[in-house]
PDB file of all heavy atoms in Angstrom:
ATOM      1  N   GLU B 275      26.773  81.192  85.226  1.00  0.00           N
ATOM      2  CA  GLU B 275      27.717  80.473  86.086  1.00  0.00           C
ATOM      3  C   GLU B 275      28.820  81.392  86.628  1.00  0.00           C
ATOM      4  O   GLU B 275      29.169  82.409  86.027  1.00  0.00           O
ATOM      5  CB  GLU B 275      28.334  79.287  85.336  1.00  0.00           C
ATOM      6  CG  GLU B 275      29.166  79.705  84.145  1.00  0.00           C
ATOM      7  CD  GLU B 275      29.633  78.512  83.320  1.00  0.00           C
ATOM      8  OE1 GLU B 275      29.073  77.402  83.491  1.00  0.00           O
ATOM      9  OE2 GLU B 275      30.567  78.707  82.518  1.00  0.00           O
ATOM     10  N   GLU B 276      29.340  80.997  87.770  1.00  0.00           N
ATOM     11  CA  GLU B 276      30.406  81.714  88.465  1.00  0.00           C
ATOM     12  C   GLU B 276      31.580  81.978  87.514  1.00  0.00           C
ATOM     13  O   GLU B 276      31.962  81.102  86.739  1.00  0.00           O
ATOM     14  CB  GLU B 276      30.884  80.804  89.606  1.00  0.00           C
ATOM     15  CG  GLU B 276      31.338  81.510  90.842  1.00  0.00           C
ATOM     16  CD  GLU B 276      31.905  80.514  91.828  1.00  0.00           C
ATOM     17  OE1 GLU B 276      31.181  79.567  92.189  1.00  0.00           O
ATOM     18  OE2 GLU B 276      33.083  80.680  92.196  1.00  0.00           O
ATOM     19  N   GLY B 277      32.132  83.155  87.594  1.00  0.00           N
ATOM     20  CA  GLY B 277      33.279  83.489  86.746  1.00  0.00           C
ATOM     21  C   GLY B 277      32.841  84.207  85.492  1.00  0.00           C
ATOM     22  O   GLY B 277      33.533  85.080  84.983  1.00  0.00           O
ATOM     23  N   ASP B 278      31.685  83.824  84.953  1.00  0.00           N
ATOM     24  CA  ASP B 278      31.114  84.511  83.798  1.00  0.00           C
ATOM     25  C   ASP B 278      30.140  85.572  84.308  1.00  0.00           C
ATOM     26  O   ASP B 278      29.960  85.739  85.522  1.00  0.00           O
ATOM     27  CB  ASP B 278      30.387  83.492  82.913  1.00  0.00           C
ATOM     28  CG  ASP B 278      30.125  84.050  81.505  1.00  0.00           C
ATOM     29  OD1 ASP B 278      30.596  85.157  81.195  1.00  0.00           O
ATOM     30  OD2 ASP B 278      29.430  83.365  80.738  1.00  0.00           O
ATOM     31  N   TYR B 279      29.515  86.319  83.411  1.00  0.00           N
ATOM     32  CA  TYR B 279      28.545  87.334  83.837  1.00  0.00           C
ATOM     33  C   TYR B 279      27.580  87.605  82.690  1.00  0.00           C
ATOM     34  O   TYR B 279      27.922  87.415  81.527  1.00  0.00           O
ATOM     35  CB  TYR B 279      29.266  88.627  84.236  1.00  0.00           C
ATOM     36  CG  TYR B 279      30.091  89.228  83.119  1.00  0.00           C
ATOM     37  CD1 TYR B 279      29.527  90.114  82.210  1.00  0.00           C
ATOM     38  CD2 TYR B 279      31.435  88.894  82.946  1.00  0.00           C
ATOM     39  CE1 TYR B 279      30.272  90.656  81.173  1.00  0.00           C
ATOM     40  CE2 TYR B 279      32.181  89.424  81.910  1.00  0.00           C
ATOM     41  CZ  TYR B 279      31.609  90.309  81.031  1.00  0.00           C
ATOM     42  OH  TYR B 279      32.340  90.829  80.006  1.00  0.00           O
ATOM     43  N   PRO B 280      26.355  88.027  83.022  1.00  0.00           N
ATOM     44  CA  PRO B 280      25.392  88.327  81.965  1.00  0.00           C
ATOM     45  C   PRO B 280      25.480  89.788  81.524  1.00  0.00           C
ATOM     46  O   PRO B 280      25.865  90.651  82.304  1.00  0.00           O
ATOM     47  CB  PRO B 280      24.049  88.086  82.654  1.00  0.00           C
ATOM     48  CG  PRO B 280      24.296  88.424  84.090  1.00  0.00           C
ATOM     49  CD  PRO B 280      25.747  88.145  84.370  1.00  0.00           C
ATOM     50  N   THR B 281      25.103  90.041  80.286  1.00  0.00           N
ATOM     51  CA  THR B 281      24.973  91.423  79.822  1.00  0.00           C
ATOM     52  C   THR B 281      23.631  91.564  79.104  1.00  0.00           C
ATOM     53  O   THR B 281      22.993  90.564  78.763  1.00  0.00           O
ATOM     54  CB  THR B 281      26.096  91.830  78.850  1.00  0.00           C
ATOM     55  OG1 THR B 281      26.004  91.046  77.662  1.00  0.00           O
ATOM     56  CG2 THR B 281      27.467  91.652  79.474  1.00  0.00           C
ATOM     57  N   VAL B 282      23.232  92.793  78.879  1.00  0.00           N
ATOM     58  CA  VAL B 282      21.946  92.997  78.216  1.00  0.00           C
ATOM     59  C   VAL B 282      22.018  92.568  76.750  1.00  0.00           C
ATOM     60  O   VAL B 282      21.215  91.760  76.293  1.00  0.00           O
ATOM     61  CB  VAL B 282      21.438  94.445  78.389  1.00  0.00           C
ATOM     62  CG1 VAL B 282      21.017  94.676  79.835  1.00  0.00           C
ATOM     63  CG2 VAL B 282      22.446  95.501  77.969  1.00  0.00           C
ATOM     64  N   VAL B 283      23.016  93.090  76.027  1.00  0.00           N
ATOM     65  CA  VAL B 283      23.179  92.682  74.632  1.00  0.00           C
ATOM     66  C   VAL B 283      23.792  91.283  74.618  1.00  0.00           C
ATOM     67  O   VAL B 283      24.789  91.035  75.278  1.00  0.00           O
ATOM     68  CB  VAL B 283      24.111  93.655  73.866  1.00  0.00           C
ATOM     69  CG1 VAL B 283      24.319  93.185  72.440  1.00  0.00           C
ATOM     70  CG2 VAL B 283      23.550  95.069  73.901  1.00  0.00           C
ATOM     71  N   GLY B 284      23.179  90.389  73.893  1.00  0.00           N
ATOM     72  CA  GLY B 284      23.733  89.034  73.808  1.00  0.00           C
ATOM     73  C   GLY B 284      23.074  88.064  74.763  1.00  0.00           C
ATOM     74  O   GLY B 284      22.985  86.879  74.486  1.00  0.00           O
TER      75      GLY B 284
END
Side-chain angles (χ1 to χ4, degrees):
Chain B
E275 64 187 16
E276 213 185 304
D278 197 6
Y279 59 88
T281 64
V282 290
V283 177

